[in-house]
Amino acid sequence: KDGDGNTANSAWVTVTVSSADASAYANAVLDDGASLLWRLGGTDGGADWAGTNDASFKNAVGTTADGALAGETNGAATFPGDNGFASTTNTYTVGSSFAAELWFKTDTTSGGKIVGYGDNPNDWSGSYDRHVYMKNNGQLVFGTYPGWTATVQSTKSYNDDKWHHL
């Protein structure tokens, strides 16, 4: 359903994914009870392996065979400049306990958001919470908004063109 109230429906399609298609890492994430798993690369792009909350890529997001994990044949997504992102139109209430994890690699000196919740699936959000962004110097900042801006910042920089688990 879009902002103007228009809807489009298609017939349900059942898809069975063999656990043999997922890496040991993806299976471990699923075994931990993840409610969302976007592998973000290769053939499945933004398919949600944990449910039906698929990612929609915006503004020239691409894929590469270069991935962070041995045994993971899916590759990775590439996010160009300051305007590429993946989002979903599904909304969820996120409680006070939550977890998010991802792998990233960058050499940017322009910083930007890495992951977070927002209020606009089609563009930059005006309201956002529970996010991690990178400063221009490569330091990471995690922030929440419990009525005020609450953040913690890394002392180390992570824009070294190496894979990091966040």
Side-chain angles (χ1 to χ4, degrees):
K1 184 175 183 178
D2 69 16
D4 294 324
N6 300 308
T7 60
N9 296 313
S10 61
W12 282 97
V13 176
T14 301
V15 177
T16 302
V17 178
S18 166
S19 62
D21 294 339
S23 66
Y25 176 78
N27 283 324
V29 171
L30 293 170
D31 288 346
D32 281 344
S35 59
L36 173 76
L37 173 58
W38 293 342
R39 293 172 61 202
L40 293 184
T43 58
D44 66 359
D48 180 7
W49 281 55
T52 59
N53 196 6
D54 293 346
S56 175
F57 294 131
K58 308 291 185 193
N59 303 326
V61 172
T63 59
T64 178
D66 179 25
L69 303 169
E72 176 66 70
T73 60
N74 196 52
T78 57
F79 295 87
D82 64 354
N83 66 347
F85 62 96
S87 68
T88 179
T89 56
N90 295 337
T91 59
Y92 294 94
T93 300
V94 180
S96 60
S97 293
F98 65 95
E101 71 177 272
L102 61 94
W103 288 89
F104 74 96
K105 178 173 89 166
T106 187
D107 61 0
T108 187
T109 55
S110 297
K113 185 182 264 191
I114 297 175
V115 65
Y117 293 89
D119 65 349
N120 188 342
N122 298 309
D123 205 346
W124 296 110
S125 295
S127 296
Y128 44 89
D129 194 6
R130 298 168 174 96
H131 62 271
V132 176
Y133 63 92
M134 181 175 284
K135 294 173 64 173
N136 293 347
N137 66 2
Q139 291 176 318
L140 301 177
V141 178
F142 169 75
T144 63
Y145 191 80
W148 65 91
T149 302
T151 63
V152 293
Q153 179 176 308
S154 71
T155 56
K156 183 178 175 185
S157 294
Y158 293 89
N159 56 348
D160 56 6
D161 204 31
K162 296 179 182 174
W163 284 106
H164 298 281
H165 184 241
L166 169 68

